[in-house]
Amino acid sequence: MRPHKLQNWYQVLYQWLPRHESILFSILPQMVAAVGLSVFWTVLVKTTDASLSVPNSAHRAFGFVLGFLLVMRTSISYQRYTEGFSQLGALGKVVRNVTREVALLAVGEDDALVGRFTRYAKLFMVLVMMHLRSEVDITTPGSLVHTLVSPDEL
């Protein structure tokens, strides 16, 4: 077990903070508002004689609706993911078939042209995947783009 030093707490916090593509900072205002409302309500109840009795049927109804909405949202998200994945797979099949057709039509004529077309077809699929992942920097050294494109083609 690694001992933790209290002086390095900010480094541990920095490691756990999301660096990119996280929703934490987009929902942070709602989280702060919920905590503030909870603290306000707790202080109000402790300092006054306010009564917070909520019937059990209301809790059950709220839990049922919340669970239903959560399951519905999850299933819709999964459907969207599988639809996008299948569409990307279909696009990959079309690109592969077109590449095969070009390779069959150009047999023995210009192998360099077929190789370049094949490389560009692979590059197209890589760029589509990068676009879907919202990756904007294709010039990063070591990326998959650099294996398919020469430096003067960038």
Side-chain angles (χ1 to χ4, degrees):
M1 183 173 180
R2 192 175 90 181
H4 295 287
K5 296 180 182 177
L6 291 178
Q7 294 85 5
N8 296 335
W9 66 270
Y10 60 90
Q11 292 175 347
V12 174
L13 181 65
Y14 181 73
Q15 284 179 335
W16 286 99
L17 280 177
R19 288 174 177 69
H20 58 81
E21 296 182 11
S22 173
I23 65 164
L24 176 66
F25 294 111
S26 62
I27 65 169
L28 194 61
Q30 290 90 345
M31 289 172 50
V32 169
V35 168
L37 183 64
S38 299
V39 168
F40 170 74
W41 199 259
T42 304
V43 169
L44 181 70
V45 168
K46 294 292 183 183
T47 57
T48 64
D49 292 333
S51 175
L52 294 176
S53 61
V54 178
N56 286 338
S57 59
H59 278 285
R60 277 186 259 143
F62 182 72
F64 174 76
V65 170
L66 187 62
F68 178 73
L69 290 175
L70 183 63
V71 167
M72 186 178 68
R73 181 176 176 179
T74 304
S75 65
I76 289 172
S77 297
Y78 183 70
Q79 287 174 353
R80 289 178 60 200
Y81 170 77
T82 55
E83 178 68 22
F85 192 76
S86 64
Q87 292 294 325
L88 185 62
L91 181 65
K93 287 179 184 176
V94 168
V95 168
R96 185 175 60 234
N97 288 337
V98 167
T99 305
R100 285 180 183 165
E101 294 282 332
V102 167
L104 285 175
L105 290 174
V107 165
E109 292 190 25
D110 192 2
D111 291 337
L113 180 65
V114 172
R116 193 169 57 198
F117 184 81
T118 304
R119 203 164 33 96
Y120 286 156
K122 290 178 187 176
L123 179 65
F124 172 73
M125 287 305 296
V126 167
L127 290 175
V128 166
M129 285 190 298
M130 288 179 71
H131 171 70
L132 292 175
R133 294 176 182 158
S134 300
E135 296 176 11
V136 293
D137 189 17
I138 64 170
T139 60
T140 305
S143 69
L144 195 55
V145 173
H146 287 283
T147 62
L148 299 170
V149 178
S150 63
D152 53 329
E153 289 176 327
L154 282 176

